[in-house]
Amino acid sequence: MPVYSMTGYASAQHGASATGAENDTRAPQSRRLGLEIRSVNSRFLDLSFRLPDELRAMEPALRSLLTARLKRGKVEVRAALENEDSNTLQDPPARLLQRLNSLQDSVKAWLPAAAPLTVADALRLCANAPSGSEDWSDAVPALAEEALTALMAAREREGKRLASMLLDRVKQLRALAEQAVPMVPLLVEQQRLRFMERWKEAMALTDGATLPEAARDRALTEATAFAIRIDVAEEITRLDSHLDEIERLLKKGGEVGKRLDFLIQELHREANTLGSKSAALDLTRISVDMKVLIEQMREQVQNIE
């Protein structure tokens, strides 16, 4: 399965102005229906609808269609009905003009100073009034399916780009881990030699008051404790394990966003521990570089479904 991003946009038009003969036969010719779907990242699936009054009854069907194919994301669906030619003025129905005139008389009775309706006002109000004669019950689901398919394609393209970026960061993290592994034995050996030098200096100052064997054992014990304290082999092993799981999830695809987010937190914990055990500037630099890469991954993983 592909990896899907939660970010995407798609739109579709339906009506006489749409291309293709099949679009001309599916909906009434007098008005054009436009529908668009936007989605951004969210922890859960959050749907919102902005529909004209004529299409309010279609919201349950649209909600069912979206929940069947989307699992996470903040999704907004907008629909609009427009005249086929916005430059052509339609004759306003006489019943609407009569209704406007009656309403104007009622308003003037209470507010004598109110300005009368202009011709432009009357045309605008009549144009926005629902006709109630058009049936969109077949056109809306078909158009929503078309837009949703385009949205899924856009989310898949973005998800592919995110997966590629994450795999690149995984590769860089592995390279940094490989740099850190040989540093620890060198640091341990350097520290052991430093302790032994301190032991020799202490022996020269005490004039033999302390048994050489006891002082030597103490120096070796300190060196051993230091080696244990700076050993990052366990952190490197866990980090490699987390990177393997991230690669597996990206190749598997599907709903992997939440699992990836958890693994990113684990990566950050291992990088922090590695930095806290750092006994050399180079190891500290590696820890910082790892944190930068992991933070870049965290920002992108939040966009994956």
Side-chain angles (χ1 to χ4, degrees), residues 265-278:
Q265 295 178 31
E266 294 300 308
L267 285 178
H268 200 274
R269 181 179 293 111
E270 302 305 334
N272 275 335
T273 305
L274 189 147
S276 66
K277 289 186 174 183
S278 175

Side-chain angles (χ1 to χ4, degrees), residues 22-75:
E22 60 173 333
N23 287 331
D24 294 341
T25 60
R26 287 188 299 176
Q29 302 294 316
S30 59
R31 306 180 79 186
R32 181 176 63 250
L33 170 63
L35 187 143
E36 63 180 22
I37 307 176
R38 306 171 185 265
S39 68
V40 295
N41 62 317
S42 177
R43 292 183 60 189
F44 308 101
L45 183 59
D46 181 10
L47 303 179
S48 62
F49 298 87
R50 296 192 177 184
L51 308 175
D53 291 338
E54 293 176 71
L55 304 181
R56 289 292 181 188
M58 302 303 301
E59 182 174 327
L62 293 175
R63 185 177 295 275
S64 177
L65 179 66
L66 293 173
T67 53
R69 299 182 63 180
L70 302 176
K71 305 305 178 185
R72 292 178 66 199
K74 183 177 177 61
V75 183

Side-chain angles (χ1 to χ4, degrees), residues 73-210:
K74 183 177 177 61
V75 183
E76 180 182 68
V77 179
R78 291 173 177 250
L81 291 169
E82 301 176 352
N83 291 326
E84 287 300 329
D85 188 354
S86 58
N87 295 323
T88 301
L89 292 177
Q90 303 292 330
D91 292 337
R95 61 179 182 81
L96 289 179
L97 292 176
Q98 293 174 354
R99 179 61 176 162
L100 287 175
N101 187 56
S102 175
L103 291 173
Q104 178 176 241
D105 290 341
S106 299
V107 172
K108 296 284 287 184
W110 290 94
L111 302 172
L117 287 172
T118 65
V119 174
D121 293 334
L123 291 174
R124 175 175 54 80
L125 292 171
C126 290
N128 292 335
S131 63
S133 61
E134 296 169 328
D135 182 11
W136 298 98
S137 58
D138 294 330
V140 171
L143 189 63
E145 183 68 38
E146 178 184 343
L148 182 56
T149 299
L151 177 71
M152 295 297 293
R155 286 166 58 126
E156 181 178 348
R157 290 192 299 270
E158 179 65 11
K160 184 177 181 180
R161 186 190 69 81
L162 293 176
S164 177
M165 187 279 292
L166 290 172
L167 290 174
D168 178 68
R169 300 301 187 273
V170 167
K171 183 178 179 181
Q172 295 182 50
L173 285 171
R174 289 192 188 280
L176 290 173
E178 290 177 359
Q179 295 177 27
V181 170
M183 288 184 180
V184 175
L186 293 176
L187 291 172
V188 171
E189 180 61 22
Q190 291 174 3
Q191 190 65 18
R192 189 186 69 83
L193 294 175
R194 189 177 298 115
F195 279 134
M196 293 305 298
E197 291 175 358
R198 289 171 53 191
W199 168 70
K200 292 178 181 179
E201 293 174 357
M203 290 302 95
L205 293 174
T206 57
D207 296 329
T210 305

